[in-house]
Amino acid sequence: MRRTAVVAVVVAGLVAGPLAIPALAATATITLNGSSASVSGSNVTVAGGAITITAPGSYEISGTLNNGQVKVDTAGAGTVEIVLKGAAITNQSSSPLYVANAQAVTVTLAAGTSNTLTDAATYTNADEPDATLFSAADLTVSGTGSLTVRANYQDGIVSKDDLVIQSGTITVNSVDDAIRGKDSLTINGGSLNVTSTGGDGIKSNETEAGKGVVNITNGTITVSVADDAIKGQNTLNISGGTINVTRSYEALEAMELTISGGRSTVVSSDDSVNAAEEGLNEFVTSTKAFIRVTGGTVVTNSGKDGFDSNGSLTLAGGTVVVNGPTSGARGGDGAFDASGTLSFNAGTVLGAGMTSLAVFNTVPANGQGWVAPVFSTNRSAGTIVHIVSGTTVLASYQAQKSFYEVVFSSNRITNGQSYDVYTGGSVSGTSTGGLYTSGSISGATKALTVTAGRYTRSRP
């Protein structure tokens, strides 16, 4: 990563907002005409369908290129801005937009325009590029227009350094990874819809310490992929935005995973929120891996663990609802699975599944109160469960899936006190993953009495 580019971006951000890029004066206008292009301006060479930008500046591109490539190749100091203004670029043997060399590149999606990039199913080049939009330099995507990326070979949008998505309506359909920033990937806004038939959705994959980081501060993100939806090789930070994962193997994954804001609704066939240390046996407790939730809302529909940390798992704010596994051995996969310390410190937490607390260590003894009712028989989807103190309903949950166990933690629960658990009755108000803002035990049946802070699993 070229540090000078990062400094320039940060300075601009102090004036114009987070990671904003200053506007550049127009250097050239490139008009695509099917098989080639015409140019008004300087620092652009054209040889048939091969268009090369050779110096920093701003370059506006419009029209259609049926089989060719726009390439950036400059050793000059400064940013190259590519303004896509109704551009449709297809390459039948490689990548349609390739940044081979530059200090930094910004792709701006012009307001009111739709743009498409389509690559080949087989590349004739041996190494780079290997993505539809490939950059060997820091890359920023901004603007209010739209971009559709059709990745038929491997990845959709890739930067080998830092990748920042500021804004725009971006759709990526890929056969491998959809969007990847090797050193880091930051999403500050925009509307992203990504699909992959064989890879990950949004990721940063550098293993070096301090890199392999995904930051999501804002935006609307929809992901449907075969493998991991959003993955930071080392770190994943979610502080804002709306995330909707409709299909994944694991939905949110990193070694260090922090959620402090936003709303994440995720579906996974395996673990929904996972923290693991690369190369460490999954049955060994990691001193590096952790999951921390301090704010926001997270709702999971999990095939296996809802939250799984090979290190510590701390729930310290926000709202978390886990609709956990419905099959497998009880005591195995659960709503919350931690090899290290599990802590309930603040926030509202509800988890249901075959097992509620699949913990290696002892259950939480300090912090915020919690209850963990264990039913003697499997309860079906649609079952309503109430946690009650006297005649006061503290929580009402309508199960999205079948379950044996439930765990609930909030500032309304005090460890050591007894609470009644009812099934039936009704729910009302707003639902967050099945946890309703209100409910009634009228017509319900008292099923259990539990002591907060104690967990006793009855094997079937």
Side-chain angles (χ1 to χ4, degrees):
M1 179 180 67
R2 297 170 176 82
R3 300 296 177 188
T4 53
V6 174
V7 171
V9 168
V10 171
V11 171
L14 296 176
V15 178
L19 293 176
I21 301 297
L24 301 174
T27 302
T29 299
I30 302 169
T31 304
L32 309 175
N33 58 24
S35 59
S36 189
S38 59
V39 178
S40 174
S42 58
N43 302 326
V44 180
T45 64
V46 177
I51 298 111
T52 304
I53 296 169
T54 59
S58 181
Y59 303 85
E60 181 183 289
I61 303 176
S62 62
T64 299
L65 186 63
N66 295 322
N67 183 22
Q69 183 180 81
V70 175
K71 182 178 182 180
V72 176
D73 192 356
T74 173
T79 299
V80 175
E81 181 186 35
I82 298 173
V83 180
L84 296 180
K85 193 174 183 180
I89 308 172
T90 299
N91 193 319
Q92 298 177 19
S93 60
S94 188
S95 166
L97 182 50
Y98 172 33
V99 179
N101 185 28
Q103 188 176 67
V105 172
T106 298
V107 174
T108 301
L109 309 176
T113 69
S114 298
N115 305 276
T116 61
L117 300 173
T118 305
D119 72 350
T122 302
Y123 282 21
T124 56
N125 53 281
D127 192 10
E128 297 175 356
D130 58 5
T132 309
L133 196 174
F134 181 92
S135 177
D138 292 335
L139 174 65
T140 297
V141 180
S142 64
T144 58
S146 70
L147 173 64
T148 298
V149 176
R150 302 185 181 101
N152 300 305
Y153 176 59
Q154 288 186 9
D155 300 343
I157 300 174
V158 169
S159 169
K160 287 183 66 178
D161 288 341
D162 297 323
L163 173 57
V164 177
I165 296 177
Q166 287 287 90
S167 56
T169 300
I170 300 168
T171 302
V172 180
N173 300 313
S174 66
V175 297
D176 198 8
D177 300 336
I179 301 175
R180 175 165 56 88
K182 184 179 180 181
D183 288 352
S184 73
L185 170 56
T186 298
I187 300 173
N188 291 323
S191 177
L192 284 67
N193 190 325
V194 303
T195 62
S196 170
T197 57
D200 298 329
I202 293 167
K203 74 185 293 186
S204 180
N205 63 315
E206 177 57 68
T207 59
E208 182 182 336
K211 299 181 180 181
V213 178
V214 175
N215 295 307
I216 299 174
T217 68
N218 207 344
T220 301
I221 302 167
T222 302
V223 183
S224 175
V225 293
D227 205 346
D228 299 331
I230 301 175
K231 180 177 181 177
Q233 186 66 37
N234 289 319
T235 305
L236 170 59
N237 298 313
I238 300 173
S239 60
T242 300
I243 297 170
N244 186 25
V245 177
T246 60
R247 181 176 72 102
S248 70
Y249 179 69
E250 292 184 329
L252 309 176
E253 183 177 16
M255 182 174 68
E256 302 171 342
L257 201 161
T258 302
I259 300 172
S260 59
R263 182 180 182 91
S264 301
T265 305
V266 303
V267 175
S268 67
S269 60
D270 198 76
D271 305 333
S272 286
V273 184
N274 184 55
E277 181 180 347
E278 189 79 15
L280 190 69
N281 186 292
E282 65 175 320
F283 297 108
V284 175
T285 301
S286 170
T287 59
K288 298 179 180 179
F290 65 77
I291 299 172
R292 295 174 186 157
V293 181
T294 61
T297 299
V298 183
V299 176
T300 81
N301 183 339
S302 315
K304 292 190 176 180
D305 295 320
F307 281 63
D308 181 6
S309 176
N310 287 1
S312 62
L313 170 55
T314 303
L315 301 166
T319 300
V320 172
V321 178
V322 173
N323 296 289
T326 60
S327 61
R330 294 184 58 194
D333 296 321
F336 301 99
D337 185 344
S339 301
T341 302
L342 170 64
S343 302
F344 295 118
N345 292 340
T348 300
V349 179
L350 187 139
M354 289 290 291
T355 302
S356 58
L357 300 176
V359 293
F360 282 13
N361 292 322
T362 58
V363 295
N366 301 309
Q368 182 171 270
W370 54 274
V371 293
V374 176
F375 294 92
S376 59
T377 59
N378 192 18
R379 300 304 172 107
S380 62
T383 298
I384 296 173
V385 177
H386 306 278
I387 309 298
V388 180
S389 176
T391 59
T392 302
V393 178
L394 304 181
S396 297
Y397 169 69
Q398 185 165 34
Q400 311 295 291
K401 304 157 71 175
S402 62
F403 66 97
Y404 267 99
E405 303 183 12
V406 174
V407 60
F408 174 72
S409 176
S410 84
N411 59 11
R412 306 181 75 184
I413 302 293
T414 301
N415 284 342
Q417 293 190 7
S418 295
Y419 297 87
D420 295 325
V421 180
Y422 285 76
T423 58
S426 61
V427 291
S428 57
T430 302
S431 171
T432 301
L435 178 62
Y436 282 79
T437 52
S438 58
S440 171
I441 58 173
S442 177
T445 301
K446 182 178 174 180
L448 298 165
T449 297
V450 294
T451 301
R454 296 181 184 175
Y455 177 45
T456 304
R457 178 184 301 117
S458 298
R459 297 283 183 178

